[in-house]
Amino acid sequence: MPPPTDGTVAQPVRPFNTDRLILALCLGIPVVGLLLFFIYPLWIVFIRSITEADGGLGIANYIEILGSKGFWRATVHSLQMGLATTAISIVCGFIIAHGLHRCSFRGKNLIRAAIVLPLLAPSLVQGLGLIFILGRNGLLNKWFDLGLDIYGFWGLLIANTFYALPQAVMIIGATLTLSDARTYEAAEVMGTRPLRQFWDLTLPNAKFGILSAAFVVFTVTITDFGNAAVIGGDYSVLATEIYSQVIGQMNFNMGAVVGILLLLPTLASYYIERMAQKRQFGGHSDSAVPYVAHFTPARDIPMAMASFLIAALTAAVIAVVVYASFVRLWPYNFDLTFKNYDITLAGGYAPLWTTILISLMAAAGGTVALFLLGVGIRRAPAAIAKIVYFMAVLPAAVPGMVLGLAYVLTFNSTATPLYLLYGTAGLIALVNFYHYHTQGYLTIMTGFRQIPTSLEEAASCLGSGMLRVVADVVTPYVMPMLAAVFFFLFMRSMVTLSAVIFLTTPKMTVAAVTIMRLDDAGLTSQAAAYSTAVMLIVTAALLAMKFILHKIGQHKSLEAKF
Amino acid sequence: MYLNVQNLTKTYGAFTALDKISIGVQSHEFVCLLGPSGCGKTTLLRIIAGLTDADSGTIHLEGQSLSGLPARQRGFGIVFQSYSLFPNMTVAENIGYGLKIRAIAKNKIAARVDELLTTIKLPDVADRYPWQLSGGQQQRIALARAIAVDPRLLLLDEPLSALDAKVRAQLRTEIRDIQRTLDIPTLMVTHDQEEALSLADRIICMDHGVVEQCGTPQELYLRPATRFVADFMGTSNLIETSYIRECMPDLMAHHPVGDDDAFVACIRPEQISLHPDPQGKATIRSVTFLGNLRRVFVESPAGPLIVEAHGHVDLCEGQSVRLDINPQDCSWVANTPPSGAP
């Protein structure tokens, strides 16, 4: 190294500006994306919601909506549905999570597998499954002639509960695994009976997890469109209200108003949920010993039975869809056939291939964008990083319906050149990516946080420029998260309905929308067949992800050895 | 014996964690279970606490058998290495929890908590949560929580290992004072021989699931019974009988009855004195300066020796020296194979 000549500190050999440029690109590209494809469309929704019939700005639309009976009915229904679903999902979710993490019985992997199923299917599959079991032509009505009508509150409640259950189980389960077995042993030695340990230790420590799960379930429920459209019947909720305003009455400004109003409770619930996460009891020591349950008949037998029952019902609703897709004429002729896989609706399987293409685009583009964002935000000045972080985690608070509406208002308007994107697969890939931006971002950042800063500093001191540090130090650490995010974005894009429902055109449509159209047309068995095909692809993606993560894991342990 | 453990055995598959262990604790006594990691000391403590089941053997407390009695009915107090305070409770709630379980009146619990907070010298933290405290403070609270219920036996599982050196030394003294004041029979697990020497009335030194030696700290240090104990407790020079017979015959006076191979001589480094002597048969290899003393590596006819020299004797490398050892200071230890050997 050359000695300093004029008393200043020697400059690094690398030109400083190259790194600045790379940093600017890393941060700039994803941020421009967020501004253009998330913030700007939301702004347009807001503007349209206050645009009156004569073109002027004002709150007349809001006054009209707030004065309409239909809106209030949908709002009351949404809140009722949200609260009821949340209550049931949290109780059932806690039972399963407690069973999985705090009880000792066999077959937990079966429960885990059953609980993951709803995430692999479009959200209207629960509705379809319930129609096959409880509908007018369902098994129960056929066998017992009950005259059940499943459409409406009860059907939607059951469908939403099954749909939301996996998330409740995962969030509550995560808090249950956090605790230290030693605290339970301390309680034991102090003379605490098991039930008392549950009330004094388990429940208080799971409090914030339960709260978090409750808000997530509530948000998922009031913003879900698929099940509400399939099994809601006359029970209108806010999500279907937006749809009927926009698609039914072509009343875009009114749709925007409902969208903004739907945004309020989800924003509030999202904010509270994030606060709850931060309030998790801190100070979990590294030396914490994980809790290992020992078989206790009085606790484990009832818990196992309850867990298996709930998991079996969750799986049954989906399994019946797969089964029905092979049945000749439900519920009269149960001969097995592939007839239902011969899709008679226009387009046939074309939307399925389009969906795969869209999902690959969203997954690949999204993973790259999130990786750049991760690299950039770590090196950005604190003030900028804070703003970018806020933008990156905001999309989770925006319901898919609202984002989809925002896109249609923004990109179906000839006011800007962005119009060129309308009706393309690329735009649907974009809406899917930004819809699931937050989850992807948070996953990638867990990888970035694992990188010891000393490692990057050491590489820099050895003379690596930013590109080298990213390639040699950062990438190996975040590789598993990149793979996980890629498959997450792919799988979500395959099944999501709410965000894309407004963006599909007769020429450019996706699988989930086709399933809805098939169901609308009364071709329920074909809808089941189409759903099965989607689930097959998503399941294959899930298995591929597990395999690749396993491979990466092996690779890393090999590295550690040498 | 107040606590009497007989023939306790515990295996995990093919691994024998405890092999017919028998130990005891007197009332008011502070006993340390000392040994390297994996020697079974924590397993033994957990079995006594009732947190792990033994395969066979008996445990009696004041003559009453503890077998089949769950941990929560034994009335013990326990402190873990990882503090393990209840994260959802304040300091006062943590300390008072055992009393609350026993349905003690609220005002009595409050009074007891105040008294204990004073005892552990943390009077002002009652309303804080565990994560707001330092490790040393948390461990003091854990200690207060354990003694709040006047336990019949206090169990300490490496309570100081997670703390940094200064806090550890301080808390060590406090644990000793509290135990003396309250007269609680105490069993502590540690792998730190210095901790055991300074705290215990009696040390039980374990290796590979068996008791190697049991005695006062002085006994273990000055009269180790086995090669393992001599090695584990501080530094020692272990010399085979044949060398002693040849080079230091006066040390043979105390050789126990038995084969030459059955025993080796154990001489502590500070028990050898060096005298510069051109006729001396030993040579100084190197000298390490350690402040108050010097550690000298000596090549002698009996093999390489380590000597600790105090004072200002002139010693330099290559010098010939004469070794002086008081026959009283040589202890003969059973020549068990070193740890890990078959």
Side-chain angles (χ1 to χ4, degrees), chain A residues 180 182-194 196-197 200-201 204-205 281-285 287-288, chain B residues 46 49 51 70-72 75-78 80 82 84-89 94 97-98 100-102 129 131 145:
Chain A
D180 186 350
R182 295 276 185 261
T183 56
Y184 286 88
E185 292 178 352
E188 187 76 21
V189 172
M190 290 169 85
T192 322
R193 284 200 320 277
R196 185 93 201 233
Q197 289 178 24
D200 286 351
L201 295 178
N205 286 314
F281 292 112
H284 288 285
S285 68
S287 53
Chain B
R46 291 176 60 82
L51 296 169
R72 64 175 173 276
F76 294 174
I78 195 163
F80 294 105
S82 52
S84 306
L85 296 174
F86 305 129
N88 52 310
M89 301 181 196
N94 261 287
Y97 187 67
K100 193 174 141 197
I101 291 296
R102 286 161 178 73
Y129 281 92
W131 50 271
R145 184 180 68 177

Side-chain angles (χ1 to χ4, degrees), chain A residues 192-387:
Chain A
T192 322
R193 284 200 320 277
L195 199 62
R196 185 93 201 233
Q197 289 178 24
F198 179 80
W199 284 113
D200 286 351
L201 295 178
T202 308
L203 267 190
N205 286 314
K207 189 167 64 185
F208 289 119
I210 292 170
L211 196 65
S212 229
F215 281 109
V216 168
V217 168
F218 183 79
T219 309
V220 162
T221 305
I222 64 167
T223 60
D224 175 66
F225 173 71
N227 281 321
V230 169
I231 207 168
D234 292 335
Y235 190 83
S236 68
V237 290
L238 284 174
T240 47
E241 184 68 15
I242 299 183
Y243 186 73
S244 73
Q245 286 285 350
V246 173
I247 302 292
Q249 305 167 31
M250 293 305 273
N251 197 340
F252 286 95
N253 292 358
M254 286 301 168
V257 172
V258 182
I260 293 289
L261 292 174
L262 183 57
L263 198 53
L264 295 179
T266 55
L267 270 176
S269 119
Y270 181 66
Y271 176 77
I272 297 172
E273 191 246 316
R274 287 198 68 85
M275 287 301 109
Q277 274 190 353
K278 278 190 190 153
R279 279 287 313 271
Q280 270 288 1
F281 292 112
H284 288 285
S285 68
D286 296 336
S287 53
V289 183
Y291 184 91
V292 180
H294 297 286
F295 183 66
T296 314
R299 173 196 67 194
D300 292 345
I301 292 173
M303 284 301 288
M305 281 164 57
S307 301
F308 273 111
L309 179 68
I310 299 167
L313 290 175
T314 312
V317 170
I318 290 169
V320 79
V321 173
V322 177
Y323 176 56
S325 76
F326 293 109
V327 163
R328 187 167 293 278
L329 187 59
W330 192 275
Y332 305 106
N333 181 346
F334 284 97
D335 293 345
L336 296 184
T337 172
F338 281 107
K339 171 185 79 104
N340 298 319
Y341 283 82
D342 184 14
I343 304 297
T344 51
L345 202 72
Y349 281 109
L352 185 60
W353 307 128
T354 314
T355 312
I356 295 175
L357 177 72
I358 287 170
S359 303
L360 285 173
M361 285 162 66
T367 308
V368 171
L370 287 170
F371 178 70
L372 293 181
L373 186 59
V375 170
I377 204 167
R378 275 164 65 84
R379 288 169 182 73
I384 295 176
K386 213 170 169 184
I387 298 168

